[in-house]
Amino acid sequence: GQSLEQPSEVTAVEGAIVQINCTYQTSGFYGLSWYQQHDGGAPTFLSYNALDGLEETGRFSSFLSRSDSYGYLLLQELQMKDSASYFCAVRVPIYNQGGKLIFGQGTELSVKP
Amino acid sequence: GAGVSQTPSNKVTEKGKYVELRCDPISGHTALYWYRQSLGQGPEFLIYFQGTGAADDSGLPNDRFFAVRPEGSVSTLKIQRTERGDSAVYLCASSPTWAGTGELFFGEGSRLTVL
């Protein structure tokens, strides 16, 4: 089976740093992605980790430990516009035909002034 | 168009009716995915096309759901004998190959309401 666990909600203040954790249990693993979704909008891609370690993209960083089946998204210098839902998603193999993404239930981030 | 286009954006239907949802992926993207998202939940995988063929349809809930992609571009998700539990946002996503970078490009979704 496939399962991903992430906190359902997180609250932080503008300018702060927040970390959203994700643990996973999947049949096969290619990598871990993170997506952002504002209310009523489409999920948009933030980052992807295929190897262990930290990937940094501007204010956002993502970390992966494959041995621990664990990753996190780190958001720095929080802004009001960062209030959204954040999803971790594991890319799992499809035999001989690439991969698909299995999503977690999402973490709703509320940024307060 | 520049992005993934889905029509209709909203569909209200009655229980038992037939529904078709259309997805127009980004030009040149060979991989196409359908997901379903209920309120407060993450996107749930339904089906994946690589070109014209369904490479993985393991997420389709039952045989009332069917999807096609006859020419390897536009895809249609078809739902027969709709039930109230089918109400959700149906998301389509595409990627250049098989999402080797973990990046899918999503459309805005088709919100289906079954009364």
Side-chain angles (χ1 to χ4, degrees):
Chain A
Q2 330 266 29
S3 70
L4 289 85
E5 297 278 343
Q6 51 180 127
S8 59
E9 55 185 40
V10 172
T11 302
V13 296
E14 245 183 323
I17 299 173
V18 72
Q19 179 174 313
I20 300 173
N21 298 320
C22 174
T23 58
Y24 59 87
Q25 192 170 0
T26 58
S27 303
F29 179 84
Y30 277 151
L32 183 70
S33 294
W34 288 91
Y35 283 77
Q36 179 191 62
Q37 186 178 33
H38 285 99
D39 273 352
T44 55
F45 174 79
L46 293 176
S47 68
Y48 179 67
N49 295 65
L51 302 176
D52 291 351
L54 192 67
E55 295 278 343
E56 297 181 66
T57 310
R59 294 188 297 114
F60 295 179
S61 303
S62 57
F63 171 83
L64 174 66
S65 168
R66 288 173 298 170
S67 61
D68 294 323
S69 297
Y70 164 75
Y72 66 71
L73 179 70
L74 191 74
L75 298 86
Q76 303 182 71
E77 300 170 22
L78 282 174
Q79 302 174 8
M80 298 296 290
K81 68 178 182 179
D82 297 330
S83 293
S85 292
Y86 292 84
F87 297 92
C88 59
V90 170
R91 182 167 166 259
V92 298
I94 298 171
Y95 177 71
N96 212 29
Q97 298 244 34
K100 64 185 178 186
L101 294 188
I102 304 299
F103 284 80
Q105 294 302 292
T107 298
E108 186 174 351
L109 172 63
S110 297
V111 181
K112 306 294 186 187
Chain B
V4 176
S5 176
Q6 292 189 244
T7 54
S9 55
N10 275 287
K11 175 70 177 179
V12 180
T13 191
E14 293 179 342
K15 180 175 177 298
K17 299 291 188 183
Y18 170 80
V19 165
E20 286 191 354
L21 307 175
R22 175 188 167 107
C23 173
D24 206 336
I26 293 172
S27 178
H29 282 194
T30 58
L32 185 146
Y33 303 78
W34 283 99
Y35 285 83
R36 176 169 72 173
Q37 187 174 27
S38 300
L39 192 63
Q41 304 292 311
E44 174 194 7
F45 171 79
L46 296 178
I47 187 168
Y48 158 56
F49 288 91
Q50 184 59 250
T52 59
D56 183 344
D57 64 359
S58 62
L60 294 177
N62 50 59
D63 61 6
R64 296 186 298 104
F65 288 75
F66 190 71
V68 296
R69 195 186 185 198
E71 297 178 357
S73 179
V74 170
S75 176
T76 305
L77 179 66
K78 308 180 181 195
I79 310 174
Q80 298 178 318
R81 304 182 305 279
T82 51
E83 300 177 357
R84 292 195 180 88
D86 299 335
S87 296
V89 176
Y90 289 81
L91 294 166
C92 177
S94 69
S95 70
T97 54
W98 50 36
T101 60
E103 180 175 10
L104 300 186
F105 297 82
F106 280 88
E108 296 284 331
S110 292
R111 180 178 298 278
L112 175 65
T113 303
V114 182
L115 301 177

